[in-house]
Amino acid sequence: MAVDRILLVEDDVELGRQIVQHLTGAGFDPTWIKDGDEAMLVDPAPYRLFILDLMLPGAYGLDVLKRLRQHSDVPVLVLSARNDTIDKVRALKLGADDYVTKPFWPDELLARVQARLRRPVLQREGAVEYGPLVLDPAARRVTVEGDDVPLTRVEFDLLSALARRPGEAITRTWLVEHVLDPDREGNERTLDVHVSRLRKKLGACGKSVATVWGIGYRLEPPA
Amino acid sequence: MSLRLRLSLALGLTAIPVVAGVVWVRRDLDERAYIEFVRGIVLERMYQNGREACEAYPENFPFPRRRWGRRGPGRPGGTRRPRGDDRGAPDGEGERPERNRLNEGGGGTEPIDERPPRPSDRADPREPGAPLENGAPRRPREPGEHRGHGRGGPGNWRERAFREGRGPPRVLFMAYGPDYLSRNPRAPEFPKAARKKLEAGADTVIDGVWVGLRMSWREGPCCVVLARRTGDTPITRSGDLIWTGAAICGALLLAVLLAAGPIVQRIRRLERDVRGAAAQGYGVAVPVTGGDEITRLARAFNDAGAEVKAHIDAVERREATLRRFLANTTHDVMTPLTVLQGHLSALPDDDRVAAARHEADYMSSLLHNLSAAAKLEAGGAQVRRDPVDLGELVGRVAARHKPVADKRGVALEYALPGDPVVVTGDVTLLEQAVGNVVHNAVRYNREGGRVAILLGTRSDDRDERGAAAAGAHSGDFWLRVIDDGPGVPEDELPRLGERRFRGEKARTRQPAGQGFGLSIAREVAARHGFELSFSRAAEGGLEVEFTGPANATDPESRK
């Protein structure tokens, strides 16, 4: 996987340096521009993401965003120090994808960046891979390291429901309603039984189906 | 009480004593005049020859004057003057028929003195032999008496004359002895009240229509005289006066009511104008018309309104400056604080670094809450109403607090429904509100604790919770933050997030976040028309739930 290039537009030297550090540490390739006017002229093509501070000398951050959106769909993450809702709303309307309010922890910024860069789940009717786990919705087939895993209808539906939103916790309530056989009386206890059977059948990949406290289950992304 | 009514009542009430006073004075004057009138006639009569006649024949006194006149002063009574009260008086038998006749003719016991019935009578030649007339040239004698007798009695004549309004009033009187008893058996009993006053030393008393007079002589059967005027007394009756007074009061009342009408109307119009001006923030002046006190009042109001307006403007300017100052300061602090947090997170974990991180986190949350509080207190204009995707909001909140939760060893997870949940509101405030709740859940949890944020809509929520929230619309969202921390005692649950962020308590640091943050959450929820409820989570800790109306989901509006 190629290293993702990120353009950072940040006027504060200390903060800029720190963000660059953290992005680099997280395996990204950041480019840092300190001035809004300069940002206006940048070619967005090589970058996978823009991190844009709204308070910039020279061109106001929103102007940079407006200019950028005229010819690029690159995701933009806005850094906002202001608590003014209007700025955020305006930024979102102008095409910003997300914002992070200062002060933030580096991990928070990284989480937002990663969320934006997460590769979309393959929704086509082909096989979906999660490390050794491969799920083929069309054939209703699941393999772990190439071996077929025989699953019941409910177990397969359960796994594919989790796989549709990998990394996201899904509530028990939702699963009970959407996965369990509506003709049979199903409750969360029944669901838990199905999940534990599924885990056993998946063997080594069983840990991927994680229990999330207070919520339900989640398919952990492959390590 | 309305102004008009008050004026009327005041004037009416003031008029009552005034009228009463006038009535009293009038009565007093009337009475005095009456007494003088009666007294004059009686004294004149008695001093001329009445005394002699009376003392001579007390049983018959007063005789018709005519008799006296004929007999003249040489009557036997003159000799008996010194002691006139002896009972042998009725020796004048010759007079009895006369008196009887008189009584029959007069129809009563009242003795009389008569005044001329007609002015023309004054021209009549005086009867030379009538001693009564002597020394009384202003009082013409009464020729009618003769005629009256000739025609069937002076009473008839008198009454007729009086009825026809021809005759002036006459005085009837009766003589009494020093013991206030009359020798004349037909005399009425001397009024007790009058007697008391006379005994107390008064010379003239009045008791109703009766005037009691003490003569200058103190003895004899005629030393006290009781007299009255015939016909209506000239004293105005109290009833009439009261009616007159009432009429005057009524007229005054009516006059005030009518006069106050236009005034009251102008005041009402001024009130309307003032209210209108106040409703527009005193930006407009009250129309000033006329040139009276109400005009001046309107002008004074305009002056006051202008000052209020200036004051409001000044306050607003100052507030705007303060807000700007706070926003700028916050901004200026946020960037270095971010840098500080970056450095802190890069440091190796130990107790002191953890404490420093905690402080930085506290400062950050405090700054945001102060901004939110300033915004909430500034009022409606500062709170925006835009579409807010709660799913994205929950993601941001979780991302914001995850680093802190991770450092504290608290698992923070969230779950979203498949579809976006959009509400209308101020994204900064809502994020702050949810963030505060999550912040508390993380902060007051123990190491190894867990916090979960769940978002859903009623249609997704057909489990037991949905049933419990019966009455909620299917379009309603719920946003739940649960933890397995120590929770909050049942009896303290309702007090969580009480509005006290203006109070001193809110400024105390411990438990710093809790009071301030939760009260902001509650205020934000209230401002958005959301419900905020606190309960014990089934999982053991605290469960905080926001509920409210979600907008109809429109996939097109989503990026």
Side-chain angles (χ1 to χ4, degrees):
Chain A
M1 194 187 293
V3 174
D4 291 317
R5 293 191 66 186
I6 294 175
L7 186 76
L8 170 67
V9 187
E10 170 61 65
D11 59 315
D12 188 271
V13 180
E14 280 299 318
L15 184 58
R17 187 155 55 206
Q18 200 173 70
I19 292 175
V20 166
Q21 256 176 32
H22 282 107
L23 287 176
T24 313
F28 297 104
D29 175 15
T31 305
W32 177 19
I33 295 179
K34 298 181 188 65
D35 184 84
D37 294 326
E38 197 184 335
M40 286 282 216
L41 308 171
V42 124
D43 171 24
Y47 302 103
R48 287 221 52 213
L49 182 83
F50 269 47
I51 297 176
L52 180 65
D53 195 330
L54 280 188
M55 303 292 285
L56 291 171
Y60 189 56
L62 287 177
D63 295 333
V64 177
L65 179 61
K66 207 190 247 170
R67 178 76 184 272
L68 184 67
R69 274 289 170 258
Q70 284 170 1
H71 53 272
S72 172
D73 287 336
V74 65
V76 175
L77 183 61
V78 163
L79 298 186
S80 167
R82 309 192 84 181
N83 249 332
D84 280 353
T85 307
I86 188 154
D87 273 5
K88 295 173 189 168
V89 171
R90 217 178 269 155
L92 291 177
K93 269 190 187 148
L94 283 176
D97 295 79
D98 200 358
Y99 63 85
V100 176
T101 309
K102 292 182 202 168
F104 50 82
W105 295 97
D107 290 348
E108 181 183 352
L109 179 67
L110 289 179
R112 303 315 289 161
V113 168
Q114 275 153 356
R116 277 299 137 196
L117 293 180
R118 192 174 291 145
R119 298 189 194 292
V121 179
L122 301 173
Q123 292 292 341
R124 60 186 163 78
E125 294 299 295
V128 187
E129 286 182 36
Y130 300 98
L133 179 68
V134 178
L135 190 139
D136 184 355
R140 295 187 68 85
R141 212 168 69 112
V142 171
T143 57
V144 172
E145 288 171 338
D147 299 334
D148 263 351
V149 181
L151 295 179
T152 63
R153 188 198 65 80
V154 171
E155 283 158 5
F156 181 83
D157 287 349
L158 186 59
L159 188 59
S160 40
L162 295 176
R164 266 200 295 277
R165 288 159 70 190
E168 286 185 43
I170 315 287
T171 61
R172 279 194 182 80
T173 316
W174 191 91
L175 291 170
V176 167
E177 279 172 21
H178 293 85
V179 173
L180 294 191
D181 188 346
D183 296 338
R184 287 206 236 149
E185 198 59 30
N187 55 26
E188 297 187 8
R189 188 175 281 274
T190 323
L191 178 74
D192 292 345
V193 173
H194 285 297
V195 169
S196 90
R197 278 192 203 137
L198 173 66
R199 279 184 183 142
K200 248 180 230 160
K201 287 183 182 174
L202 292 179
C205 289
K207 281 181 288 184
S208 296
V209 181
T211 304
V212 182
W213 177 88
I215 297 174
Y217 298 99
R218 168 175 55 203
L219 187 62
E220 300 278 1
Chain B
M1 198 188 285
S2 81
L3 189 61
R4 191 152 52 158
L5 188 60
R6 188 190 294 249
L7 269 174
S8 312
L9 280 181
L11 214 64
L13 287 175
T14 319
I16 287 172
V18 170
V19 168
V22 168
V23 164
W24 184 81
V25 168
R26 170 88 197 274
R27 250 191 87 86
D28 195 55
L29 287 175
D30 278 353
E31 210 171 71
R32 278 164 200 266
Y34 176 66
I35 291 172
E36 279 312 304
F37 169 74
V38 171
R39 187 162 170 265
I41 289 171
V42 168
L43 288 183
E44 185 179 2
R45 173 72 174 276
M46 289 306 281
Y47 279 111
Q48 277 189 354
N49 56 12
R51 182 180 179 191
E52 286 83 359
C54 176
E55 288 180 352
Y57 302 104
E59 298 85 355
N60 289 339
F61 182 82
F63 287 95
R65 191 182 31 170
R66 167 171 49 86
R67 294 289 166 202
W68 286 102
R70 283 194 189 144
R71 289 181 178 214
R75 69 197 151 87
T79 58
R80 309 180 70 184
R81 202 190 309 171
R83 288 299 305 171
D85 60 336
D86 58 301
R87 298 216 160 226
D91 46 9
E93 285 133 39
E95 302 304 325
R96 279 187 191 268
E98 272 302 325
R99 193 202 61 204
N100 289 344
R101 190 165 65 86
L102 173 67
N103 288 341
E104 286 154 15
T109 60
E110 292 161 335
I112 29 165
D113 174 281
E114 299 191 12
R115 302 191 61 188
R118 285 190 302 263
S120 61
D121 288 342
R122 287 181 190 165
D124 288 357
R126 292 180 187 177
E127 202 171 326
L132 271 181
E133 310 306 323
N134 292 343
R138 63 187 167 86
R139 291 185 59 241
R141 39 163 259 88
E142 314 226 48
E145 197 71 20
H146 299 290
R147 276 180 281 159
H149 281 275
R151 274 192 248 151
N156 286 349
W157 177 87
R158 251 182 264 124
E159 285 178 10
R160 204 166 48 241
F162 183 72
R163 266 200 305 275
E164 291 161 6
R166 288 186 290 140
R170 297 166 291 274
V171 171
L172 316 178
F173 64 96
M174 191 63 74
Y176 295 78
D179 49 2
Y180 298 98
L181 292 172
S182 179
R183 299 282 286 276
N184 189 328
R186 273 172 291 271
E189 193 188 342
F190 201 91
K192 280 205 178 77
R195 180 179 168 173
K196 261 186 196 151
K197 282 188 210 158
L198 284 180
E199 278 170 347
D203 284 336
T204 310
V205 299
I206 181 161
D207 182 68
V209 297
W210 289 105
V211 178
L213 294 166
R214 182 189 292 283
M215 295 296 116
S216 59
W217 56 93
R218 296 284 164 155
E219 36 190 38
C222 307
C223 64
V224 178
V225 170
L226 188 64
R228 62 166 287 214
R229 211 177 76 160
T230 58
D232 282 345
T233 56
I235 302 174
T236 320
R237 277 192 316 220
S238 316
D240 290 348
L241 288 173
I242 287 169
W243 278 116
T244 313
I248 292 173
C249 291
L252 274 172
L253 220 105
L254 201 68
V256 171
L257 278 177
L258 289 177
I263 299 173
V264 168
Q265 247 170 9
R266 292 202 54 197
I267 292 178
R268 285 200 185 134
R269 195 166 52 232
L270 180 61
E271 185 201 350
R272 256 199 321 278
D273 293 342
V274 168
R275 281 191 195 288
Q280 295 178 51
Y282 300 97
V284 293
V286 168
V288 176
T289 54
D292 57 4
E293 284 84 350
I294 295 172
T295 313
R296 284 183 0 222
L297 184 61
R299 227 172 260 134
F301 173 80
N302 277 342
D303 294 348
E307 248 175 68
V308 168
K309 178 89 170 71
H311 190 68
I312 289 176
D313 289 349
V315 168
E316 274 175 1
R317 267 198 307 279
R318 202 169 58 210
E319 271 191 7
T321 311
L322 270 176
R323 251 198 319 273
R324 218 168 30 243
F325 173 75
L326 181 66
N328 289 342
T329 310
T330 308
H331 167 250
D332 291 346
V333 173
M334 292 306 188
T335 303
L337 194 55
T338 311
V339 176
L340 179 66
Q341 287 187 350
H343 288 312
L344 285 174
S345 71
L347 286 176
D349 290 350
D350 70 34
D351 285 354
R352 276 190 292 178
V353 171
R357 277 183 199 138
H358 179 184
E359 293 302 315
D361 188 48
Y362 171 70
M363 278 170 67
S364 139
S365 119
L366 191 62
L367 278 171
H368 281 298
N369 278 328
L370 283 174
S371 299
K375 220 167 164 178
L376 286 169
E377 291 206 27
Q382 294 290 313
V383 179
R384 293 190 52 92
R385 299 189 63 76
D386 302 302
V388 175
D389 187 323
L390 284 183
E392 290 182 358
L393 184 144
V394 166
R396 277 196 300 272
V397 168
R400 162 156 299 253
H401 292 91
K402 200 148 175 38
V404 178
D406 286 349
K407 295 283 184 199
R408 291 182 65 91
V410 174
L412 174 61
E413 299 285 354
Y414 68 95
L416 307 176
D419 299 316
V421 179
V422 179
V423 297
T424 302
D426 187 305
V427 69
T428 308
L429 289 178
L430 286 174
E431 202 170 316
Q432 190 63 26
V434 178
N436 284 342
V437 172
V438 173
H439 182 89
N440 277 334
V442 170
R443 208 191 127 133
Y444 294 97
N445 217 320
R446 65 192 185 287
E447 193 171 342
R450 288 166 290 203
V451 176
I453 314 169
L454 295 101
L455 175 67
T457 54
R458 286 295 163 203
S459 54
D460 291 347
D461 192 29
R462 298 194 205 102
D463 62 353
E464 75 282 357
R465 288 185 197 277
H473 302 293
S474 65
D476 285 358
F477 78 89
W478 51 260
L479 196 163
R480 215 174 283 146
V481 178
I482 56 175
D483 65 63
D484 62 349
V488 172
E490 198 79 37
D491 56 327
E492 281 182 27
L493 283 175
R495 297 222 312 274
L496 279 180
E498 272 178 6
R499 290 188 195 184
R500 52 177 181 182
F501 63 80
R502 291 178 213 209
E504 283 307 305
K505 268 190 174 172
R507 309 250 186 260
T508 58
R509 209 160 156 228
Q510 291 297 339
Q514 182 125 355
F516 197 30
L518 286 189
S519 62
I520 293 225
R522 176 163 278 191
E523 185 75 14
V524 168
R527 206 57 81 83
H528 285 80
F530 298 163
E531 290 278 320
L532 178 62
S533 62
F534 301 91
S535 58
R536 287 189 74 82
E539 291 79 7
L542 181 65
E543 172 176 322
V544 185
E545 186 179 59
F546 294 85
T547 49
N551 300 1
T553 309
D554 179 9
E556 294 304 309
S557 70
R558 210 186 172 209
K559 284 180 301 292

